[in-house]
Coordinates of all heavy atoms in Angstrom, one line a residue:
M1 N 26.1 2.5 -23.3 CA 26.1 1.2 -23.9 C 26.5 0.1 -22.9 O 26.0 -1.0 -22.9 CB 27.0 1.2 -25.2 CG 26.4 2.0 -26.3 SD 24.7 1.4 -26.8 CE 25.1 -0.2 -27.4
E2 N 27.5 0.5 -22.1 CA 28.0 -0.5 -21.1 C 26.9 -0.9 -20.2 O 26.7 -2.1 -19.9 CB 29.2 0.1 -20.3 CG 29.8 -0.9 -19.3 CD 31.0 -0.2 -18.6 OE1 31.5 0.8 -19.1 OE2 31.3 -0.7 -17.5
G3 N 26.1 0.0 -19.7 CA 25.0 -0.3 -18.8 C 24.0 -1.2 -19.5 O 23.4 -2.1 -18.9
L4 N 23.7 -0.9 -20.7 CA 22.7 -1.7 -21.5 C 23.2 -3.1 -21.7 O 22.5 -4.1 -21.5 CB 22.4 -1.1 -22.8 CG 21.5 0.2 -22.8 CD1 21.4 0.8 -24.2 CD2 20.1 -0.1 -22.3
R5 N 24.5 -3.2 -22.1 CA 25.0 -4.6 -22.2 C 25.0 -5.3 -20.9 O 24.6 -6.5 -20.9 CB 26.5 -4.5 -22.7 CG 26.6 -4.4 -24.2 CD 28.1 -4.6 -24.6 NE 28.9 -3.5 -24.3 CZ 29.1 -2.4 -25.0 NH1 28.5 -2.3 -26.2 NH2 29.9 -1.4 -24.6
W6 N 25.3 -4.7 -19.8 CA 25.3 -5.3 -18.5 C 23.9 -5.8 -18.1 O 23.7 -6.9 -17.7 CB 25.9 -4.4 -17.4 CG 25.9 -5.1 -16.1 CD1 27.0 -5.8 -15.6 CD2 25.0 -5.1 -15.1 NE1 26.7 -6.3 -14.3 CE2 25.4 -5.8 -14.0 CE3 23.7 -4.5 -15.0 CZ2 24.8 -6.1 -12.8 CZ3 22.9 -4.8 -13.8 CH2 23.5 -5.5 -12.8
T7 N 23.0 -4.9 -18.4 CA 21.5 -5.3 -18.0 C 21.0 -6.4 -18.9 O 20.5 -7.4 -18.3 CB 20.7 -4.0 -18.3 OG1 21.1 -2.9 -17.4 CG2 19.2 -4.3 -17.9
Y8 N 21.2 -6.4 -20.2 CA 20.7 -7.4 -21.0 C 21.5 -8.8 -20.9 O 20.9 -9.7 -21.3 CB 20.6 -6.9 -22.4 CG 19.5 -6.0 -22.6 CD1 19.7 -4.6 -22.6 CD2 18.2 -6.4 -22.8 CE1 18.6 -3.7 -22.7 CE2 17.1 -5.6 -23.0 CZ 17.3 -4.2 -22.9 OH 16.3 -3.4 -23.0
R9 N 22.6 -8.7 -20.4 CA 23.4 -10.0 -20.2 C 23.2 -10.5 -18.8 O 23.6 -11.7 -18.5 CB 24.9 -9.7 -20.4 CG 25.2 -9.5 -21.9 CD 26.7 -9.2 -22.1 NE 26.9 -8.9 -23.5 CZ 28.1 -8.4 -24.0 NH1 29.0 -8.1 -23.1 NH2 28.2 -8.2 -25.2
H10 N 22.6 -9.8 -17.9 CA 22.3 -10.3 -16.6 C 21.3 -11.4 -16.6 O 20.3 -11.2 -17.4 CB 21.8 -9.1 -15.7 CG 21.8 -9.4 -14.3 ND1 20.7 -10.1 -13.7 CD2 22.7 -9.1 -13.3 CE1 21.0 -10.2 -12.4 NE2 22.1 -9.6 -12.1
P11 N 21.5 -12.4 -15.9 CA 20.6 -13.6 -16.0 C 19.1 -13.3 -15.5 O 18.1 -13.9 -15.9 CB 21.2 -14.7 -15.1 CG 22.2 -14.0 -14.3 CD 22.6 -12.8 -15.0
T12 N 19.0 -12.3 -14.6 CA 17.6 -11.9 -14.1 C 17.1 -10.7 -14.8 O 16.0 -10.7 -15.3 CB 17.7 -11.7 -12.6 OG1 18.1 -12.9 -12.0 CG2 16.3 -11.4 -12.1
L13 N 17.9 -9.7 -14.9 CA 17.5 -8.4 -15.4 C 17.2 -8.4 -16.9 O 16.4 -7.7 -17.4 CB 18.5 -7.3 -15.1 CG 18.6 -6.9 -13.6 CD1 19.6 -5.8 -13.4 CD2 17.3 -6.6 -13.0
G14 N 18.0 -9.2 -17.7 CA 17.9 -9.3 -19.1 C 16.5 -9.8 -19.5 O 15.8 -9.1 -20.3
P15 N 16.0 -11.0 -19.0 CA 14.7 -11.4 -19.3 C 13.6 -10.5 -18.9 O 12.6 -10.3 -19.5 CB 14.6 -12.8 -18.6 CG 16.0 -13.3 -18.5 CD 16.8 -12.0 -18.3
L16 N 13.8 -9.8 -17.7 CA 12.8 -8.9 -17.2 C 12.7 -7.7 -18.1 O 11.6 -7.2 -18.4 CB 13.3 -8.4 -15.8 CG 12.3 -7.4 -15.1 CD1 10.9 -7.9 -15.0 CD2 12.9 -6.9 -13.8
A17 N 13.9 -7.2 -18.6 CA 13.9 -6.0 -19.5 C 13.2 -6.4 -20.8 O 12.3 -5.6 -21.3 CB 15.3 -5.6 -19.8
V18 N 13.5 -7.6 -21.4 CA 12.9 -8.0 -22.7 C 11.3 -8.2 -22.4 O 10.5 -7.7 -23.2 CB 13.5 -9.3 -23.1 CG1 12.7 -9.8 -24.4 CG2 14.9 -9.0 -23.6
S19 N 10.9 -8.8 -21.3 CA 9.5 -9.0 -21.1 C 8.8 -7.7 -20.9 O 7.6 -7.6 -21.3 CB 9.3 -9.9 -19.9 OG 9.6 -9.3 -18.7
T20 N 9.5 -6.7 -20.3 CA 8.9 -5.4 -20.1 C 8.7 -4.7 -21.5 O 7.7 -4.1 -21.7 CB 9.7 -4.5 -19.2 OG1 9.8 -5.2 -17.9 CG2 9.2 -3.2 -19.0
H21 N 9.6 -4.9 -22.4 CA 9.5 -4.3 -23.7 C 8.3 -5.0 -24.5 O 7.5 -4.2 -25.1 CB 10.8 -4.5 -24.6 CG 12.0 -3.9 -24.0 ND1 12.0 -2.6 -23.5 CD2 13.2 -4.3 -23.8 CE1 13.2 -2.2 -23.1 NE2 14.0 -3.3 -23.3
V22 N 8.2 -6.2 -24.4 CA 7.1 -6.9 -25.0 C 5.8 -6.4 -24.4 O 4.8 -6.2 -25.1 CB 7.2 -8.5 -24.9 CG1 6.0 -9.2 -25.3 CG2 8.5 -8.9 -25.7
W23 N 5.7 -6.3 -23.0 CA 4.5 -5.9 -22.4 C 4.1 -4.5 -22.9 O 2.9 -4.2 -23.2 CB 4.7 -5.9 -20.8 CG 3.5 -5.4 -20.1 CD1 2.5 -6.2 -19.7 CD2 3.2 -4.1 -19.7 NE1 1.6 -5.4 -19.0 CE2 2.0 -4.1 -19.0 CE3 3.8 -2.9 -19.8 CZ2 1.4 -3.0 -18.5 CZ3 3.3 -1.8 -19.2 CH2 2.1 -1.9 -18.6
F24 N 5.1 -3.6 -23.0 CA 4.8 -2.2 -23.4 C 4.3 -2.2 -24.8 O 3.3 -1.5 -25.1 CB 6.0 -1.3 -23.3 CG 6.1 -0.6 -21.9 CD1 7.2 -0.9 -21.1 CD2 5.2 0.2 -21.4 CE1 7.4 -0.3 -19.9 CE2 5.3 0.8 -20.1 CZ 6.4 0.5 -19.4
L25 N 4.9 -3.0 -25.7 CA 4.4 -3.1 -27.1 C 3.0 -3.6 -27.2 O 2.1 -3.1 -27.8 CB 5.4 -4.0 -27.9 CG 5.0 -4.1 -29.3 CD1 5.1 -2.8 -30.1 CD2 5.9 -5.2 -30.0
A26 N 2.7 -4.8 -26.5 CA 1.4 -5.4 -26.5 C 0.4 -4.5 -25.8 O -0.7 -4.3 -26.4 CB 1.5 -6.8 -25.7
N27 N 0.7 -3.8 -24.8 CA -0.2 -3.0 -24.1 C -0.6 -1.8 -25.0 O -1.8 -1.3 -25.1 CB 0.3 -2.5 -22.7 CG -0.8 -2.1 -21.8 OD1 -1.8 -2.7 -21.7 ND2 -0.6 -0.9 -21.2
G28 N 0.4 -1.3 -25.7 CA 0.2 -0.1 -26.6 C -0.7 -0.5 -27.7 O -1.7 0.2 -28.1
A29 N -0.5 -1.7 -28.3 CA -1.3 -2.2 -29.4 C -2.7 -2.4 -28.9 O -3.7 -2.1 -29.6 CB -0.7 -3.4 -30.0
A30 N -2.9 -3.0 -27.7 CA -4.2 -3.4 -27.2 C -5.0 -2.1 -26.9 O -6.2 -2.0 -27.1 CB -4.1 -4.2 -25.9
F31 N -4.3 -1.1 -26.4 CA -5.0 0.2 -26.0 C -5.5 0.9 -27.3 O -6.5 1.5 -27.3 CB -4.2 1.1 -25.1 CG -5.0 2.1 -24.5 CD1 -5.8 1.9 -23.4 CD2 -5.0 3.5 -25.0 CE1 -6.6 2.9 -22.8 CE2 -5.8 4.4 -24.4 CZ -6.5 4.1 -23.3
T32 N -4.6 0.8 -28.3 CA -5.0 1.4 -29.6 C -6.2 0.7 -30.2 O -7.1 1.4 -30.6 CB -3.8 1.3 -30.6 OG1 -2.7 2.0 -30.0 CG2 -4.2 1.9 -32.0
A33 N -6.2 -0.6 -30.1 CA -7.4 -1.4 -30.6 C -8.6 -1.1 -29.8 O -9.7 -0.9 -30.3 CB -7.1 -2.8 -30.6
L34 N -8.4 -0.9 -28.4 CA -9.5 -0.6 -27.5 C -10.2 0.7 -27.9 O -11.4 0.8 -27.9 CB -9.1 -0.6 -26.1 CG -10.1 -0.1 -25.1 CD1 -11.3 -1.1 -25.0 CD2 -9.5 0.0 -23.7
A35 N -9.3 1.7 -28.2 CA -9.9 3.0 -28.6 C -10.8 2.9 -29.8 O -11.8 3.5 -29.9 CB -8.8 4.0 -28.7
I36 N -10.2 2.2 -30.8 CA -11.0 2.1 -32.1 C -12.3 1.3 -31.9 O -13.3 1.7 -32.3 CB -10.1 1.3 -33.1 CG1 -8.9 2.3 -33.5 CG2 -10.9 0.9 -34.3 CD1 -7.9 1.6 -34.3
V37 N -12.3 0.2 -31.1 CA -13.4 -0.6 -30.9 C -14.5 0.2 -30.1 O -15.6 0.2 -30.4 CB -13.1 -2.0 -30.2 CG1 -14.3 -2.6 -29.7 CG2 -12.3 -2.9 -31.1
A38 N -14.0 0.8 -29.0 CA -14.9 1.6 -28.1 C -15.6 2.7 -28.8 O -16.7 3.0 -28.7 CB -14.2 2.1 -26.9
L39 N -14.8 3.5 -29.6 CA -15.3 4.7 -30.2 C -16.1 4.4 -31.5 O -17.1 4.9 -31.7 CB -14.2 5.7 -30.5 CG -13.5 6.3 -29.2 CD1 -12.3 7.0 -29.6 CD2 -14.5 7.1 -28.4
R40 N -15.6 3.5 -32.3 CA -16.2 3.2 -33.6 C -17.3 2.1 -33.5 O -18.4 2.2 -34.0 CB -15.2 2.8 -34.7 CG -14.4 4.0 -35.1 CD -13.4 3.7 -36.2 NE -12.6 4.8 -36.5 CZ -11.5 4.7 -37.3 NH1 -11.2 3.5 -37.9 NH2 -10.8 5.8 -37.5
E41 N -16.9 0.9 -33.0 CA -17.8 -0.2 -33.0 C -18.8 -0.2 -32.0 O -20.0 -0.5 -32.2 CB -17.0 -1.5 -32.8 CG -15.9 -1.7 -33.9 CD -16.5 -1.9 -35.3 OE1 -17.6 -2.6 -35.4 OE2 -16.0 -1.4 -36.3
M42 N -18.4 0.2 -30.7 CA -19.4 0.3 -29.6 C -20.1 1.6 -29.6 O -21.1 1.7 -28.8 CB -18.7 0.0 -28.3 CG -18.2 -1.4 -28.1 SD -17.3 -1.7 -26.5 CE -18.7 -1.7 -25.4
G43 N -19.6 2.6 -30.3 CA -20.3 3.9 -30.3 C -20.3 4.7 -29.0 O -21.1 5.5 -28.8
L44 N -19.2 4.5 -28.3 CA -19.1 5.3 -27.0 C -18.8 6.7 -27.3 O -18.0 7.0 -28.3 CB -18.0 4.7 -26.1 CG -18.2 3.3 -25.6 CD1 -17.0 2.9 -24.6 CD2 -19.5 3.1 -24.8
S45 N -19.3 7.6 -26.5 CA -18.9 9.0 -26.8 C -17.5 9.3 -26.2 O -17.0 8.5 -25.5 CB -19.9 9.9 -26.0 OG -19.7 9.8 -24.6
A46 N -17.0 10.4 -26.7 CA -15.6 10.7 -26.3 C -15.6 10.9 -24.8 O -14.6 10.6 -24.1 CB -15.2 12.0 -27.0
V47 N -16.7 11.4 -24.2 CA -16.7 11.7 -22.7 C -16.7 10.4 -22.0 O -15.9 10.2 -21.0 CB -18.0 12.5 -22.3 CG1 -18.1 12.6 -20.8 CG2 -17.9 13.9 -22.9
V48 N -17.5 9.4 -22.4 CA -17.5 8.1 -21.7 C -16.2 7.4 -21.8 O -15.6 6.9 -20.9 CB -18.7 7.2 -22.2 CG1 -18.6 5.8 -21.8 CG2 -20.0 7.8 -21.9
F49 N -15.6 7.5 -23.1 CA -14.2 6.8 -23.3 C -13.3 7.5 -22.4 O -12.4 6.9 -21.8 CB -13.9 6.9 -24.7 CG -12.6 6.1 -25.0 CD1 -12.5 4.7 -24.9 CD2 -11.5 6.8 -25.3 CE1 -11.3 4.1 -25.1 CE2 -10.2 6.1 -25.6 CZ -10.2 4.7 -25.4
G50 N -13.3 8.9 -22.3 CA -12.4 9.6 -21.5 C -12.5 9.2 -20.0 O -11.6 9.1 -19.3
L51 N -13.8 9.0 -19.6 CA -13.9 8.6 -18.1 C -13.4 7.2 -17.9 O -12.8 6.9 -16.8 CB -15.5 8.6 -17.8 CG -16.1 10.0 -17.6 CD1 -17.6 9.9 -17.5 CD2 -15.5 10.7 -16.5
L52 N -13.5 6.3 -18.9 CA -13.0 5.0 -18.8 C -11.4 5.0 -18.7 O -10.8 4.4 -17.9 CB -13.4 4.1 -20.0 CG -14.8 3.6 -20.0 CD1 -15.1 2.9 -21.3 CD2 -15.1 2.8 -18.9
V53 N -10.8 5.9 -19.5 CA -9.3 6.1 -19.5 C -8.9 6.7 -18.1 O -8.0 6.2 -17.5 CB -8.9 6.9 -20.7 CG1 -7.4 7.2 -20.6 CG2 -9.2 6.2 -22.0
A54 N -9.7 7.6 -17.7 CA -9.4 8.2 -16.4 C -9.5 7.3 -15.2 O -8.7 7.2 -14.4 CB -10.3 9.4 -16.1
T55 N -10.5 6.4 -15.3 CA -10.6 5.3 -14.3 C -9.4 4.4 -14.3 O -8.9 4.0 -13.3 CB -11.9 4.6 -14.5 OG1 -13.0 5.4 -14.5 CG2 -12.1 3.5 -13.5
G56 N -9.0 4.0 -15.5 CA -7.7 3.3 -15.6 C -6.6 3.9 -15.0 O -5.7 3.3 -14.4
G57 N -6.4 5.3 -15.2 CA -5.3 6.0 -14.6 C -5.4 6.0 -13.1 O -4.4 5.9 -12.5
V58 N -6.6 6.2 -12.6 CA -6.7 6.1 -11.1 C -6.4 4.7 -10.6 O -5.7 4.6 -9.5 CB -8.1 6.5 -10.7 CG1 -8.4 6.3 -9.2 CG2 -8.4 8.0 -11.0
S59 N -6.8 3.7 -11.3 CA -6.4 2.3 -10.9 C -4.9 2.2 -10.9 O -4.4 1.5 -10.1 CB -7.1 1.3 -11.8 OG -8.5 1.5 -11.8
R60 N -4.3 2.7 -11.9 CA -2.8 2.6 -12.0 C -2.1 3.3 -10.9 O -1.1 2.8 -10.3 CB -2.3 3.0 -13.4 CG -2.7 2.1 -14.5 CD -2.2 2.6 -15.9 NE -2.6 1.8 -16.9 CZ -3.8 2.0 -17.6 NH1 -4.5 3.0 -17.3 NH2 -4.1 1.2 -18.6
L61 N -2.6 4.5 -10.6 CA -2.1 5.2 -9.4 C -2.2 4.5 -8.1 O -1.3 4.4 -7.3 CB -2.7 6.6 -9.3 CG -2.3 7.4 -8.2 CD1 -0.8 7.8 -8.3 CD2 -3.1 8.8 -8.1
L62 N -3.4 3.8 -7.9 CA -3.6 3.0 -6.8 C -2.6 1.8 -6.7 O -2.0 1.5 -5.6 CB -5.1 2.5 -6.7 CG -5.5 1.6 -5.5 CD1 -5.3 2.4 -4.2 CD2 -6.8 1.1 -5.7
G63 N -2.5 1.2 -7.9 CA -1.6 0.1 -8.0 C -0.1 0.5 -7.6 O 0.6 -0.2 -6.9
A64 N 0.3 1.6 -8.2 CA 1.7 2.1 -7.9 C 1.8 2.5 -6.4 O 2.9 2.3 -5.9 CB 2.0 3.3 -8.8
T65 N 0.8 3.0 -5.8 CA 0.8 3.3 -4.4 C 1.0 2.0 -3.5 O 1.7 2.1 -2.5 CB -0.4 4.0 -4.0 OG1 -0.6 5.3 -4.8 CG2 -0.4 4.5 -2.5
L66 N 0.3 1.0 -3.9 CA 0.3 -0.3 -3.2 C 1.5 -1.1 -3.4 O 1.8 -2.0 -2.7 CB -1.0 -1.1 -3.5 CG -2.3 -0.5 -3.0 CD1 -3.5 -1.3 -3.4 CD2 -2.3 -0.3 -1.5
A67 N 2.2 -0.9 -4.5 CA 3.3 -1.7 -5.0 C 4.5 -1.9 -3.9 O 4.9 -3.0 -3.7 CB 3.9 -1.2 -6.3
P68 N 4.9 -0.8 -3.3 CA 6.0 -1.0 -2.3 C 5.6 -1.9 -1.1 O 6.4 -2.7 -0.7 CB 6.2 0.5 -1.8 CG 5.8 1.4 -2.9 CD 4.6 0.7 -3.5
S69 N 4.4 -1.7 -0.6 CA 4.0 -2.6 0.5 C 3.8 -4.0 0.0 O 4.2 -5.0 0.7 CB 2.8 -2.1 1.2 OG 1.6 -2.1 0.3
M70 N 3.2 -4.2 -1.2 CA 3.1 -5.6 -1.7 C 4.5 -6.2 -2.0 O 4.7 -7.4 -1.7 CB 2.3 -5.5 -3.0 CG 1.9 -6.8 -3.6 SD 0.8 -6.6 -5.0 CE 0.7 -8.2 -5.7
G71 N 5.4 -5.4 -2.5 CA 6.8 -5.9 -2.7 C 7.4 -6.2 -1.4 O 8.2 -7.2 -1.3
G72 N 7.1 -5.5 -0.4 CA 7.7 -5.8 1.0 C 7.2 -7.1 1.5 O 7.9 -7.8 2.2
R73 N 5.9 -7.4 1.3 CA 5.3 -8.6 1.8 C 5.7 -9.9 1.0 O 6.0 -10.9 1.6 CB 3.8 -8.4 1.8 CG 3.3 -7.7 3.0 CD 1.8 -7.8 3.1 NE 1.4 -6.4 3.6 CZ 0.3 -5.8 3.1 NH1 -0.4 -6.3 2.2 NH2 0.1 -4.6 3.6
L74 N 5.5 -9.7 -0.3 CA 5.7 -10.9 -1.2 C 7.2 -11.0 -1.7 O 7.6 -12.1 -2.1 CB 4.9 -10.8 -2.4 CG 3.3 -10.8 -2.2 CD1 2.5 -10.6 -3.5 CD2 2.8 -12.1 -1.4
G75 N 7.9 -9.9 -1.7 CA 9.2 -9.9 -2.4 C 9.1 -9.3 -3.8 O 8.0 -9.3 -4.4
T76 N 10.1 -8.7 -4.3 CA 10.1 -8.0 -5.6 C 9.7 -8.9 -6.7 O 8.8 -8.6 -7.5 CB 11.4 -7.3 -5.8 OG1 11.7 -6.4 -4.7 CG2 11.4 -6.5 -7.1
G77 N 10.4 -10.0 -6.8 CA 10.2 -11.0 -7.9 C 8.8 -11.5 -8.0 O 8.1 -11.4 -9.0
P78 N 8.2 -12.0 -6.9 CA 6.9 -12.5 -6.8 C 5.8 -11.5 -7.2 O 4.8 -11.7 -7.8 CB 6.7 -13.1 -5.5 CG 8.1 -13.5 -5.0 CD 9.0 -12.5 -5.7
T79 N 6.1 -10.2 -6.7 CA 5.2 -9.1 -7.0 C 5.2 -8.8 -8.5 O 4.0 -8.6 -9.0 CB 5.6 -7.8 -6.2 OG1 5.6 -8.2 -4.8 CG2 4.7 -6.7 -6.5
I80 N 6.3 -8.8 -9.1 CA 6.4 -8.6 -10.5 C 5.6 -9.7 -11.3 O 4.8 -9.5 -12.2 CB 7.8 -8.5 -11.0 CG1 8.4 -7.2 -10.5 CG2 7.8 -8.5 -12.6 CD1 9.9 -7.1 -10.8
L81 N 5.8 -10.9 -10.9 CA 5.2 -12.1 -11.5 C 3.6 -12.0 -11.4 O 2.9 -12.3 -12.2 CB 5.7 -13.4 -11.0 CG 7.2 -13.7 -11.4 CD1 7.6 -14.9 -10.7 CD2 7.3 -13.8 -12.9
A82 N 3.2 -11.6 -10.1 CA 1.8 -11.5 -9.8 C 1.1 -10.5 -10.6 O 0.0 -10.7 -11.2 CB 1.6 -11.3 -8.3
T83 N 1.7 -9.3 -10.7 CA 1.1 -8.2 -11.5 C 1.1 -8.6 -13.0 O 0.2 -8.3 -13.7 CB 1.8 -6.9 -11.3 OG1 3.2 -7.0 -11.6 CG2 1.7 -6.5 -9.8
R84 N 2.2 -9.2 -13.4 CA 2.2 -9.7 -14.9 C 1.1 -10.7 -15.1 O 0.6 -10.8 -16.3 CB 3.6 -10.2 -15.3 CG 4.7 -9.2 -15.1 CD 4.8 -8.4 -16.5 NE 5.7 -7.3 -16.3 CZ 7.0 -7.3 -16.8 NH1 7.4 -8.3 -17.4 NH2 7.7 -6.2 -16.7
A85 N 0.8 -11.5 -14.2 CA -0.2 -12.6 -14.4 C -1.6 -12.0 -14.3 O -2.5 -12.4 -15.0 CB 0.0 -13.6 -13.3
V86 N -1.8 -11.0 -13.4 CA -3.1 -10.4 -13.3 C -3.5 -9.4 -14.4 O -4.7 -9.3 -14.7 CB -3.2 -9.7 -11.9 CG1 -4.5 -8.9 -11.7 CG2 -3.2 -10.7 -10.8
H87 N -2.5 -8.7 -14.9 CA -2.8 -7.7 -15.9 C -3.7 -8.3 -17.1 O -4.6 -7.6 -17.6 CB -1.5 -7.1 -16.4 CG -1.8 -5.9 -17.3 ND1 -2.1 -4.6 -16.8 CD2 -1.8 -5.8 -18.7 CE1 -2.3 -3.8 -17.9 NE2 -2.1 -4.5 -19.0
P88 N -3.3 -9.4 -17.7 CA -4.1 -9.9 -18.8 C -5.6 -10.1 -18.5 O -6.5 -10.1 -19.3 CB -3.5 -11.2 -19.2 CG -2.0 -11.0 -18.7 CD -2.1 -10.2 -17.5
A89 N -5.9 -10.4 -17.2 CA -7.3 -10.6 -16.8 C -8.1 -9.3 -17.1 O -9.3 -9.5 -17.5 CB -7.3 -11.0 -15.3
A90 N -7.5 -8.2 -16.9 CA -8.3 -7.0 -17.2 C -8.6 -6.9 -18.7 O -9.7 -6.5 -19.1 CB -7.4 -5.7 -16.8
W91 N -7.7 -7.3 -19.6 CA -8.0 -7.3 -21.0 C -9.0 -8.4 -21.4 O -9.8 -8.2 -22.3 CB -6.7 -7.5 -21.8 CG -5.9 -6.2 -21.8 CD1 -4.7 -6.0 -21.2 CD2 -6.3 -5.0 -22.5 NE1 -4.3 -4.7 -21.4 CE2 -5.2 -4.1 -22.2 CE3 -7.3 -4.6 -23.3 CZ2 -5.2 -2.8 -22.6 CZ3 -7.3 -3.3 -23.8 CH2 -6.3 -2.4 -23.4
V92 N -9.0 -9.5 -20.7 CA -10.1 -10.5 -20.9 C -11.4 -9.9 -20.5 O -12.4 -10.1 -21.2 CB -9.7 -11.8 -20.1 CG1 -10.9 -12.7 -20.1 CG2 -8.5 -12.5 -20.6
L93 N -11.5 -9.2 -19.4 CA -12.8 -8.5 -19.1 C -13.2 -7.6 -20.1 O -14.4 -7.5 -20.4 CB -12.7 -7.9 -17.7 CG -12.5 -8.8 -16.5 CD1 -12.2 -8.0 -15.2 CD2 -13.7 -9.6 -16.3
V94 N -12.3 -6.8 -20.7 CA -12.6 -5.9 -21.8 C -13.2 -6.7 -22.9 O -14.2 -6.3 -23.5 CB -11.4 -5.0 -22.2 CG1 -11.6 -4.3 -23.5 CG2 -11.0 -4.1 -21.0
A95 N -12.6 -7.8 -23.4 CA -13.0 -8.5 -24.5 C -14.4 -9.1 -24.2 O -15.1 -9.3 -25.2 CB -12.0 -9.6 -24.8
L96 N -14.7 -9.5 -23.0 CA -15.9 -10.2 -22.7 C -17.0 -9.2 -22.4 O -18.2 -9.6 -22.2 CB -15.7 -11.1 -21.5 CG -14.8 -12.3 -21.8 CD1 -14.6 -13.1 -20.5 CD2 -15.3 -13.2 -22.9
A97 N -16.7 -7.9 -22.3 CA -17.8 -6.9 -21.9 C -18.8 -6.9 -23.0 O -18.5 -6.8 -24.2 CB -17.2 -5.5 -21.8
P98 N -20.1 -7.0 -22.6 CA -21.2 -6.9 -23.6 C -21.2 -5.5 -24.3 O -20.8 -4.5 -23.7 CB -22.4 -7.2 -22.9 CG -22.1 -7.0 -21.4 CD -20.6 -7.1 -21.3
E99 N -21.7 -5.4 -25.5 CA -21.8 -4.1 -26.2 C -23.1 -3.5 -25.8 O -23.9 -3.2 -26.7 CB -21.7 -4.4 -27.7 CG -20.3 -4.9 -28.1 CD -20.2 -5.0 -29.6 OE1 -20.9 -4.2 -30.3 OE2 -19.5 -5.8 -30.1
V100 N -23.3 -3.2 -24.5 CA -24.4 -2.5 -24.1 C -23.9 -1.4 -23.0 O -22.7 -1.6 -22.6 CB -25.5 -3.4 -23.3 CG1 -26.1 -4.3 -24.4 CG2 -24.9 -4.2 -22.3
P101 N -24.6 -0.5 -22.7 CA -24.1 0.5 -21.7 C -23.6 -0.1 -20.4 O -22.6 0.3 -19.8 CB -25.3 1.5 -21.4 CG -26.0 1.4 -22.7 CD -25.9 0.0 -23.2
A102 N -24.3 -1.1 -20.0 CA -23.8 -1.8 -18.7 C -22.5 -2.4 -18.9 O -21.7 -2.6 -17.9 CB -24.9 -2.9 -18.3
G103 N -22.1 -2.9 -20.1 CA -20.8 -3.4 -20.4 C -19.6 -2.5 -20.1 O -18.5 -2.9 -19.7
V104 N -19.9 -1.2 -20.3 CA -18.9 -0.2 -20.0 C -18.6 -0.2 -18.5 O -17.5 -0.1 -18.1 CB -19.4 1.2 -20.5 CG1 -18.4 2.3 -20.1 CG2 -19.6 1.2 -22.0

């Protein structure tokens, strides 16, 4: 409890922790909605949806691999802000994808 109090009262780490919680909640909700839309509304097969999820996993692995060098160049704070700013763009692309096989 002492560590949690210290973290959440810290002027930098507190807001970062709260924003991370919000990000995880929003990302979980968005991915749940994506699964429903992709499988029910767009009619994607389980294999195609699985390939999309796997592609996302590979992208995340690549991002995690590049994160230390990006943090070294830009600094930790700017790197966190940049990734938080870019991440919603991926969801915008998902929302704008046409409901045709090419949209996948």
Side-chain angles (χ1 to χ4, degrees):
M1 288 304 293
E2 183 180 338
L4 287 174
R5 274 193 290 273
W6 183 87
T7 300
Y8 285 98
R9 289 180 183 162
H10 191 277
T12 302
L13 296 179
L16 178 62
V18 170
S19 71
T20 300
H21 298 316
V22 171
W23 180 87
F24 275 117
L25 179 67
N27 203 45
F31 195 79
T32 300
L34 174 65
I36 292 169
V37 169
L39 295 170
R40 291 186 183 170
E41 301 296 322
M42 293 179 71
L44 297 182
S45 70
V47 171
V48 171
F49 185 69
L51 288 172
L52 289 173
V53 172
T55 301
V58 170
S59 299
R60 288 179 185 94
L61 179 62
L62 179 63
T65 303
L66 296 174
S69 64
M70 190 173 168
R73 278 190 219 139
L74 299 177
T76 304
T79 300
I80 292 171
L81 292 175
T83 57
R84 296 274 173 100
V86 170
H87 187 80
W91 286 108
V92 169
L93 291 175
V94 169
L96 296 176
E99 292 187 29
V100 295
V104 174

